Amino acid sequence: MSTVEPTWRLGIDTGGTFTDIVAVCDGQLRTSKVSSTPAAFERGVLDAIASVGVGVDSDIRLLAHGTTVTTNAVITHTGAATGLITTRGFRDILELRRADRGELYDILWDPPEPLVPRRLRREVSERIDYAGAVIAPLCDDDIADAVRVFRASGVEAVAICFLNSYVNPVHEERARDAVLALWPEAHVTISSDLIREPREFERTATAVANAYVAPVLRDYVSRLQATLDDDRFSGRLMIMHSGGGLVPAASCLVAPARTITSGPAAGVMAAEGLAGQTHNPNILSLDMGGTSADVAVVLGGKARFVDEHVPEWGLPIRFPAVDLLTVGAGGGSIAWVDASGAAKVGPDSAGAVPGPACYRRGGTYATVTDANLVLGRLAEQAVLADGLRLDLERASSAVSAFGDRLGLDMHAAALGIIEIANSNMAKAVRVMTVERGLDPRDFVLLAFGGAGPMHACELANHLGMERVMIPLAPGVTSALGTMFVDVVHDVARANIELLQHVDPTEIEETFQDLEARARSLLDDDLIPQPGQRIERSLDLRYVGQTKTLNCQLPSQPVTDATLASAATRFVDEYQARYQYVATGLPIEVATARVRARGLESGIRLPEVPELPETAPACIRPVVFRDAGAVDAAVYRREDLSVGATLLGPLVIEQMDSTTIIPPAWSVEVDKLGNLVVLRTREEAR
Amino acid sequence: MTVSPAVGIDPITFEVLNNAFSSVVDEMGALVQNCALSVVVSEARDYSGSICTPAGDLVATGVTDQPAHIGTIPFTVKGMLEWIGQPAADYFSDGDIVITNDAYIGGTHNQDVRLIMPVFHDGEIIAFAQSSAHWTDIGGHVPGTFDPNARSSHGEGLIVPPIRVARAGEIDDDLVRVICRNIRTPDLARGDLLAQIGAVRLARMRILDLVSSYGQAVIVEEMAALIRHSEALLRQEFEALPDGVRQFTVPIDCDPGSASDEPVLLHMRLAIAGHHAEYDFSGCARQAIGAINATRSSTFSSAIVATKAVFPHVPLNQGFFNAIDFVLPDGLVCSAQYPAPISGMAAGTFPGIIDCVLGNYIQVLPLRCMAGPVGLVNTTWGGYDPRPGHEDEFVAYIWLEGGWGGRPAKKDNFTAMCLFSTAARNVPIEQQERVFPLMFDSYRFERDSFGAGLHRGGPGVTRVLHFTHGDAMLSVIGDGERFGPWGWAGGSDAPGAKLIYAPGTEDERSLGMFCTGEMIERSKEVLFFHSGGGGWGDPLERPIEWVLKDVENDLLSPDAARHQYGVVVDSVGGDGRAVAAEGDTRRLRAEMREQRNESSNAAAD
């Protein structure tokens, strides 16, 4: 993120219902939300661009796009017909999975169907041992048989995963060549191209997901590119992935599985971008929408990563992914009372249809949104993005009915719903912070999504946090997130040996191999050398463990000192997370990783203009737990001027979101238009 | 705010703290999984973490915790309190941690090692935190400690009664050395022990954090409320069931210590009356000579786990125990008396008791139940690994998935699980081949491996493996070779388990479900088949398309389609699609029905 150019950079995030856009150019920032067009999502993208008044043929440098097409393909099982080729004797690895269950005790629970049915999982003779030695040669006739069955069955994409290919990929590579020789138009994914780490199920699942979505992504991206080209688009189209980076449209088939669930990752990257631009290096991000809330951490200005993400139970995608946790707490989460009188909120959601009781679409259960309406936090007159008006009467009777079962009056019941929903989110926050050795009180809570700003301060109270930030346009934050990211490729290779036995020269060679591959990917992306950045890291563990911690290395040749400092970092991180150190156990290297960035000149968020001081639009009673019903001033977000400080209780309304500032909190608008909300005195929990 | 009678604390705080407690136990589980050294714990998740009241009543357990442990945990804590023989607050200091694996003090088998830490606040014990994990080896006669030839618990490895492994925060290294010296894999044991100590210390810290936010009185009251809440929920379920008495019997193949090959019968009588449920196990066989026995705590645990599977929404804590009246006299195979051998409890009695519970409920609540699920076969393989960089003793504990039973509420069962309601997972083949000197030749669903039915069971699974460097010694305690998982309502039983040495060669022989120190020669294959689930309902009622789909997927042979389902498969096309011969199928199904009527009439005569 070096220079800022006087051309447009667009970020567009397509979801199932809305397509969000953020457009930035030379001190201007425009945002909008249009309806998505599921029949042909590219039309919604064009609609979004038009809605911010930017011509497709104008000076657009970059269009960064988060898309839901691969997510949908996986969730609805409507991806390409896919065939799988495995080592003989092992075709069921995809379906056996890890032989565990999503619900430990529920007899009626079923796993999702595997993406490739058994008859399209074909075995071939070949075997490589744990050390990479060929034990049995690859049988070409078996490959030909598999291809015959696939072609007869209408298969479009082929995944190949052999045992121990992470050590020696030669058979997978030969098998791929053999398939393509017989069938040049097939899309073929081999697992070793994506991952060079042990665990055959995870590698198979990733390869299968990759093959399964590849034709879907290829077709969508080429349609979108063609549509843009028709309108004389001259910039670059890039696709967002779950690893918190972009990949140019032309390279989107390098690892299509990475584009599954890129939207939530983009939200976290917005938090990373805002961490930099607002000089708040430690941010806890909360993206709360209609059905769920995503929680993530930005530490020292950087988002954190884990080694896989799981878009559906039993389908791990084994690539570095932004570390986030989703819980079933959203505006639509249903409040209910169990058979012995305990109050619960979620995880079932009323969704958009029938929706909360106040939507008048047939929903009768009290939801979090109904509770917010009853407490005066949402305005009865509020009009939602799709023109919907809320019905206070229906919300009141739903919340009262819930309260009657508990012996609570309506307001106490509504406050209880909010408190339980917040405690569900607090549980996720504890996983992301306390369980990782972090103290939430050291963080700013960045709340966005439709419902986040309404819950932020009370959630912060619950967690002992004192600072909250609400971005300028909370409803389009995922689109904003695509503004701050670079082109990112991740390559890795298992390198299992005791740290004390690692020869710096040898591991240096491994890193250089990985870097050469990463740079060639960036070269393919037309990223010039000076814009290429290489980050190295090692996954370390105590010998015997299977879980690792990732430790960054400097991008210089590896020396004994580099390895020693990695060991120190490992022990420190281990101590912080697990509260003990396994003194005397040797440390083992598991994987060498390289993250290659093609730097994109980022954006600087423009400063918002100063405005004359304004009076509140109105005053309305809002109910809080300790204060009861109090009069709160209601402001329009766009009327608030930079620098003005206001004291809660307050309501701040804008198109796609409402912010609640409880008593004992104050709010100030910073230069970039973010609401900076501070606790002014100690609250009990 | 008001008080809900079942909960006894304001309902909002109740749920907020419920979330907080589950955070604590889940974090314990994550720590043990991430930090343990043996793959049985880290990859296969054979562990649990929990919080108990000062009296030893179970309050909370985590989402990945091994169900087999869960029900025994309160017995471990209560057993410990009895063992120390004086008030816990006098005996313990803040920072003490107890270690025990004594199956006869509320345990399962000696491989399951428990760490228990009192949580002190203001000089008072307000809770116990506990972490359990299955150690791959706990010493004894054979690698992995599963020994059907043991005639006493003293032949089943080291027994550690509840003693302090840490005092006032200091770990007793001498004691740790003694324990590890008795174990074939001392480094793994030490690493797993440190992770478990880490977990109970973490739980202590988190519980004290909660006390500082909410006050001791609220936290103590919440623990009691969680227990009352579960009991009330479960009693309501009983109330909704018709009053009456049912019973169910399942066989264990045999007593491996007895010359007789008579099956060992497990029996349960379920009596529902109002909101009371009595589980009476008096009809079970006497305790066995061989190691298929279970202690009382194991039997409670399996009964609780099976009940939880029928009523999954009821949180698993002491309230579950309180809602059930157990009748379990001493000296039975499921209430063995010291020093009877018990290492095989998880393969024989534990799954058998689960079957008894399910078999009773399937008569009362069929839509929430299934036909017989697969049990467990424990295999442990040990020896010396001569590969460069290894050059040490190894012990591999390998279990195998199988199918669950057919369910009237669902089309079929697709579950492939290690053991009923276990949180355990398989260990990746690539990890096993890296860590142990062996190679797998297959790991797959087996054809014709499940009980037939309108709703069929999940398929069984076969593994084939051989050792690549040196010989290995195999010990096995399993079950279900003679009696596969049971079918129900006209569905058939699944075929039994198999363990075969050198299949398809002149050395081929069956190893059976009980063997001790069997030498497995390098490069000789061992085939290990574990059953699918039992079928539910009449196979002749199964829609033809469902049968054909199983044929296409090669889970069912055309032959079995004909003999079990009366479906005549005409052809399997080049695209793998199967087609039925409609007329032949109709005729065959009619014939089979007629034959069935004839034979039942004959039986009636």
Side-chain angles (χ1 to χ4, degrees):
Chain A
M1 296 190 209
S2 41
T3 58
V4 174
E5 294 170 34
T7 53
W8 287 101
R9 178 167 174 164
L10 308 185
I12 299 180
D13 183 60
T14 302
T17 314
F18 293 110
T19 298
D20 302 337
I21 182 167
V22 173
V24 173
C25 173
D26 195 20
Q28 295 181 63
L29 180 140
R30 302 179 191 170
T31 67
S32 176
K33 214 177 189 44
V34 300
S35 289
S36 290
T37 50
F41 278 113
E42 63 274 15
R43 282 200 291 109
V45 171
L46 272 283
D47 294 347
I49 298 173
S51 74
V52 289
V54 177
V56 172
D57 58 351
S58 57
D59 196 2
I60 300 171
R61 173 169 49 89
L62 173 62
L63 194 177
H65 182 33
T67 168
T68 190
V69 293
T70 50
T71 319
N72 283 350
V74 166
I75 290 172
T76 60
H77 284 218
T78 51
T82 301
L84 171 64
I85 299 177
T86 73
T87 306
R88 184 165 303 289
F90 298 94
R91 67 165 155 166
D92 293 324
I93 279 172
L94 180 72
E95 189 168 354
L96 285 160
R97 299 184 171 101
R98 294 300 301 275
D100 57 348
R101 292 168 59 78
E103 290 292 336
L104 203 45
Y105 291 100
D106 188 352
I107 288 173
L108 300 187
W109 181 86
D110 279 320
E113 289 214 23
L115 295 181
V116 182
R118 195 167 197 250
R119 69 187 177 83
L120 296 178
R121 307 197 296 253
R122 310 298 299 193
E123 298 179 344
V124 300
S125 291
E126 72 83 36
R127 191 66 156 94
I128 284 171
D129 78 359
Y130 79 103
V134 174
I135 302 296
L138 176 66
C139 174
D140 290 322
D141 289 349
D142 290 347
I143 301 273
D145 282 346
V147 168
R148 237 187 326 274
V149 172
F150 293 161
R151 298 188 80 160
S153 307
V155 163
E156 288 175 75
V158 177
I160 301 174
C161 186
F162 294 152
L163 286 178
N164 293 319
S165 65
Y166 75 98
V167 192
N168 181 356
V170 61
H171 281 179
E172 283 190 0
E173 288 166 359
R174 272 196 41 215
R176 174 194 55 205
D177 296 345
V179 171
L180 288 173
L182 294 166
W183 188 16
E185 57 278 21
H187 174 88
V188 183
T189 294
I190 62 173
S191 80
S192 52
D193 253 4
L194 303 176
I195 317 165
R196 295 291 295 276
E197 293 173 274
R199 287 197 184 89
E200 65 281 354
F201 163 64
E202 285 79 353
R203 226 174 43 249
T204 303
T206 304
V208 164
N210 203 65
Y212 189 74
V213 302
V216 175
L217 184 68
R218 178 193 59 205
D219 294 351
Y220 171 66
V221 168
S222 60
R223 281 201 316 272
L224 174 59
Q225 184 75 60
T227 313
L228 291 166
D229 289 347
D230 285 349
D231 286 356
R232 296 192 305 284
F233 175 69
S234 60
R236 293 194 79 187
L237 170 64
M238 298 206 193
I239 307 298
M240 182 77 197
H241 64 67
S242 52
L246 295 170
V247 59
S251 312
C252 73
L253 291 186
V254 170
R258 297 199 84 178
T259 63
I260 303 168
T261 60
S262 62
V268 181
M269 298 318 285
E272 183 183 287
L274 287 170
Q277 308 230 341
T278 64
H279 310 292
N280 284 302
N282 295 342
I283 284 186
L284 186 68
S285 79
L286 169 75
D287 180 356
M288 184 180 177
T291 57
S292 62
D294 296 331
V295 173
V297 156
V298 172
L299 184 70
K302 296 282 175 204
R304 310 187 99 197
F305 296 88
V306 286
D307 39 26
E308 68 183 29
H309 76 112
V310 186
E312 168 180 277
W313 186 88
L315 189 70
I317 308 291
R318 193 83 189 159
F319 268 110
V322 170
D323 189 10
L324 60 85
L325 184 63
T326 302
V327 286
S333 293
I334 292 173
W336 52 287
V337 179
D338 78 9
S340 84
K344 307 274 169 186
V345 177
D348 286 348
S349 169
V353 180
C358 63
Y359 279 19
R360 284 192 287 203
R361 284 178 185 153
T364 51
Y365 295 113
T367 64
V368 170
T369 298
D370 294 307
N372 276 311
L373 181 59
V374 164
L375 297 172
R377 298 174 180 201
L378 269 175
E380 195 183 351
Q381 309 78 18
V383 180
L384 301 188
D386 52 0
L388 186 91
R389 288 286 295 267
L390 302 181
D391 185 331
L392 175 61
E393 214 167 290
R394 291 192 192 203
S396 304
S397 64
V399 173
S400 297
F402 167 77
D404 287 346
R405 300 202 52 197
L406 298 169
L408 299 177
D409 69 29
M410 184 180 73
H411 284 164
L415 287 166
I417 291 171
I418 305 289
E419 202 172 334
I420 292 172
N422 287 348
S423 82
N424 289 335
M425 290 188 280
K427 198 171 154 184
V429 171
R430 281 195 292 267
V431 173
M432 298 304 291
T433 55
V434 177
E435 279 194 28
R436 286 151 167 74
L438 306 172
D439 186 338
R441 290 170 297 190
D442 298 335
F443 289 78
V444 175
L445 179 63
L446 179 76
F448 51 92
M454 207 146 28
H455 288 253
C457 291
E458 288 180 345
L459 177 62
N461 277 338
H462 189 101
L463 293 160
M465 301 171 72
E466 297 184 333
R467 289 170 298 160
V468 168
M469 184 157 67
I470 311 293
L472 184 65
V476 298
T477 308
S478 287
L480 180 69
T482 65
M483 292 279 156
F484 298 114
V485 296
D486 300 319
V487 173
V488 171
H489 294 285
D490 291 293
V491 291
R493 189 181 302 163
N495 184 100
I496 303 166
E497 61 179 325
L498 291 184
L499 186 61
Q500 67 209 51
H501 295 164
V502 172
D503 176 348
T505 328
E506 279 174 22
I507 194 114
E508 179 61 27
E509 275 171 31
T510 301
F511 274 118
Q512 289 192 0
D513 283 354
L514 290 170
E515 285 180 19
R517 160 136 175 88
R519 284 190 189 277
S520 82
L521 288 170
L522 289 178
D523 292 341
D524 292 346
D525 294 343
L526 308 175
I527 309 280
Q529 283 280 339
Q532 300 184 359
R533 285 285 180 283
I534 299 293
E535 296 164 8
R536 296 174 164 192
S537 63
L538 286 175
D539 288 350
L540 301 178
R541 61 189 172 203
Y542 285 116
V543 66
Q545 292 177 336
T546 49
K547 193 83 178 178
T548 57
L549 295 175
N550 182 258
C551 298
Q552 296 288 319
L553 258 47
S555 307
Q556 291 146 9
V558 178
T559 64
D560 286 325
T562 327
L563 296 173
S565 75
T568 309
R569 242 184 319 237
F570 169 78
V571 171
D572 290 349
E573 173 78 9
Y574 194 93
Q575 167 76 47
R577 280 192 182 219
Y578 304 125
Q579 309 289 329
Y580 81 96
V581 172
T583 321
L585 285 181
I587 296 170
E588 185 179 56
V589 178
T591 306
R593 295 187 181 279
V594 161
R595 165 161 276 219
R597 288 178 186 276
L599 299 187
E600 278 304 315
S601 44
I603 55 153
R604 190 168 302 140
L605 291 173
E607 296 190 356
V608 294
E610 293 202 17
L611 301 168
E613 221 168 279
T614 50
C618 65
I619 305 277
R620 74 166 184 256
V622 176
V623 184
F624 294 96
R625 195 185 69 173
D626 295 328
V630 291
D631 280 341
V634 181
Y635 286 88
R636 294 292 309 162
R637 174 79 177 252
E638 54 270 28
D639 295 342
L640 294 180
S641 182
V642 179
T645 300
L646 299 166
L647 294 176
L650 288 174
V651 180
I652 299 167
E653 296 180 340
Q654 63 196 108
M655 176 192 69
D656 53 6
S657 185
T658 301
T659 303
I660 296 295
I661 314 290
W665 287 76
S666 71
V667 61
E668 188 180 328
V669 183
D670 75 8
K671 287 198 177 88
L672 304 179
N674 303 299
L675 301 179
V676 178
V677 193
L678 299 174
R679 193 162 69 182
T680 55
R681 64 163 194 267
E682 197 61 29
E683 278 271 323
R685 19 172 225 277
Chain B
M1 287 204 204
T2 59
V3 166
S4 153
V7 168
I9 189 171
D10 91 68
I12 306 304
T13 305
F14 173 80
E15 183 60 12
V16 169
L17 280 174
N18 185 13
N19 275 332
F21 275 121
S22 69
S23 287
V24 176
V25 283
D26 287 346
E27 188 179 2
M28 291 174 84
L31 188 150
V32 171
Q33 189 187 346
N34 292 347
C35 299
L37 299 196
S38 54
V39 287
V40 172
V41 182
S42 61
E43 287 283 5
R45 298 205 302 216
D46 195 345
Y47 64 76
S48 65
S50 56
I51 299 169
C52 290
T53 66
D57 288 340
L58 180 65
V59 172
T61 59
V63 287
T64 59
D65 285 346
Q66 175 62 280
H69 297 170
I70 300 295
T72 62
I73 282 163
F75 296 95
T76 311
V77 177
K78 289 168 196 267
M80 171 195 76
L81 293 171
E82 201 175 314
W83 169 269
I84 62 178
Q86 55 177 294
D90 298 347
Y91 181 81
F92 288 118
S93 306
D94 197 2
D96 285 359
I97 299 173
V98 164
I99 185 169
T100 178
N101 71 334
D102 194 331
Y104 284 100
I105 303 184
T108 40
H109 48 196
N110 297 344
Q111 291 99 322
D112 286 343
V113 178
R114 283 101 199 271
L115 277 289
I116 306 169
M117 186 173 200
V119 180
F120 276 89
H121 184 253
D122 283 347
E124 200 183 323
I125 295 175
I126 57 165
F128 287 102
Q130 193 198 225
S131 168
S132 299
H134 182 115
W135 291 13
T136 309
D137 183 83
I138 196 76
H141 176 212
V142 292
T145 318
F146 287 112
D147 179 7
N149 280 352
R151 294 294 174 262
S152 150
S153 192
H154 289 287
E156 299 178 319
L158 179 69
I159 300 175
V160 184
I163 52 172
R164 278 167 290 200
V165 69
R167 287 169 188 259
E170 286 299 312
I171 294 177
D172 182 342
D173 283 326
D174 284 346
L175 176 59
V176 173
R177 285 195 190 98
V178 171
I179 292 171
C180 292
R181 182 65 184 87
N182 279 274
I183 289 173
R184 288 177 178 78
T185 48
D187 294 342
L188 297 185
R190 185 164 171 274
D192 290 353
L193 176 66
L194 288 178
Q196 290 178 260
I197 289 176
V200 291
R201 284 182 170 166
L202 190 75
R204 171 187 169 275
M205 200 161 82
R206 299 294 185 244
I207 292 167
L208 291 178
D209 285 348
L210 287 173
V211 169
S212 77
S213 301
Y214 292 87
Q216 181 174 324
V218 174
I219 295 302
V220 168
E221 183 49 34
E222 172 77 6
M223 292 197 263
L226 286 166
I227 291 169
R228 279 197 301 274
H229 170 244
S230 282
E231 179 178 347
L233 276 182
L234 191 53
R235 285 195 184 280
Q236 278 169 9
E237 293 293 341
F238 295 153
E239 182 91 61
L241 298 176
D243 283 2
V245 175
R246 317 274 167 176
Q247 51 185 335
F248 197 80
T249 305
V250 290
I252 295 175
D253 281 358
C254 66
D255 174 354
S258 160
S260 151
D261 68 350
E262 279 297 299
V264 176
L265 297 183
L266 294 172
H267 174 270
M268 175 183 150
R269 180 179 169 280
L270 170 68
I272 304 279
H275 62 270
H276 295 278
E278 183 183 87
Y279 290 18
D280 183 347
F281 295 101
S282 319
C284 289
R286 300 285 308 157
Q287 90 187 24
I289 302 163
I292 57 172
N293 298 298
T295 56
R296 296 178 66 84
S297 46
S298 297
T299 295
F300 287 127
S301 183
S302 57
I304 291 298
V305 162
T307 309
K308 166 80 176 166
V310 179
F311 308 108
H313 61 287
V314 181
L316 218 178
N317 61 37
Q318 199 71 30
F320 239 93
F321 294 89
N322 297 346
I324 298 171
D325 303 318
F326 286 97
V327 179
L328 179 54
D330 283 338
L332 305 177
V333 65
C334 54
S335 57
Q337 295 300 290
Y338 171 81
I342 38 70
S343 70
M345 48 67 62
T349 306
F350 190 91
I353 296 290
I354 284 173
D355 280 328
C356 283
V357 174
L358 289 177
N360 274 294
Y361 279 109
I362 203 168
Q363 303 172 52
V364 188
L365 255 183
L367 291 176
R368 283 248 31 119
C369 284
M370 62 177 164
V374 71
L376 177 69
V377 178
N378 294 297
T379 72
T380 48
W381 321 63
Y384 181 77
D385 182 353
R387 297 177 299 170
H390 291 265
E391 292 138 331
D392 201 356
E393 291 292 317
F394 74 90
V395 181
Y397 176 20
I398 301 176
W399 55 57
L400 189 55
E401 301 71 53
W404 281 24
R407 301 160 296 179
K410 293 282 183 135
K411 179 184 164 197
D412 287 320
N413 212 322
F414 299 96
T415 299
M417 279 285 292
C418 308
L419 165 64
F420 178 76
S421 271
T422 182
R425 299 187 298 181
N426 58 22
V427 180
I429 287 165
E430 291 173 345
Q431 298 283 47
Q432 299 200 55
E433 293 187 353
R434 207 169 55 70
V435 176
F436 307 121
L438 53 73
M439 182 181 264
F440 282 88
D441 303 291
S442 75
Y443 175 36
R444 57 181 161 80
F445 290 127
E446 188 60 59
R447 191 157 78 159
D448 300 337
S449 61
F450 40 82
L454 165 57
H455 304 282
R456 65 158 171 79
V461 176
T462 294
R463 272 189 203 199
V464 181
L465 63 88
H466 67 273
F467 282 80
T468 52
H469 299 73
D471 303 338
M473 188 188 282
L474 169 65
S475 297
V476 177
I477 300 186
D479 185 27
E481 187 181 32
R482 291 167 72 189
F483 306 104
W486 44 276
W488 192 254
S492 63
D493 292 354
K498 276 190 286 207
L499 187 60
I500 297 174
Y501 182 70
T505 72
E506 57 186 22
D507 295 331
E508 172 173 329
R509 66 199 157 91
S510 168
L511 297 173
M513 291 293 116
F514 302 100
C515 61
T516 298
E518 190 74 42
M519 286 311 294
I520 303 298
E521 262 181 67
R522 187 181 72 85
S523 81
K524 293 283 190 194
E525 287 187 344
V526 179
L527 180 149
F528 181 4
F529 162 69
H530 212 187
S531 305
W536 194 98
D538 183 356
L540 298 183
E541 300 292 323
R542 185 169 172 83
I544 294 169
E545 318 82 80
W546 294 8
V547 175
L548 292 177
K549 187 144 188 240
D550 285 342
V551 172
E552 285 171 3
N553 279 326
D554 201 24
L555 290 171
L556 192 69
S557 63
D559 208 38
R562 176 189 285 262
H563 291 111
Q564 297 176 358
Y565 296 96
V567 172
V568 182
V569 178
D570 211 17
S571 63
V572 177
D575 63 352
R577 293 287 182 191
V579 180
E582 280 182 33
D584 291 350
T585 297
R586 213 170 22 247
R587 273 190 296 280
L588 180 57
R589 284 190 151 187
E591 255 170 52
M592 289 168 80
R593 282 198 183 91
E594 200 161 313
Q595 270 171 16
R596 191 194 283 167
N597 288 340
E598 278 168 18
S599 58
S600 68
N601 289 342
D605 295 343

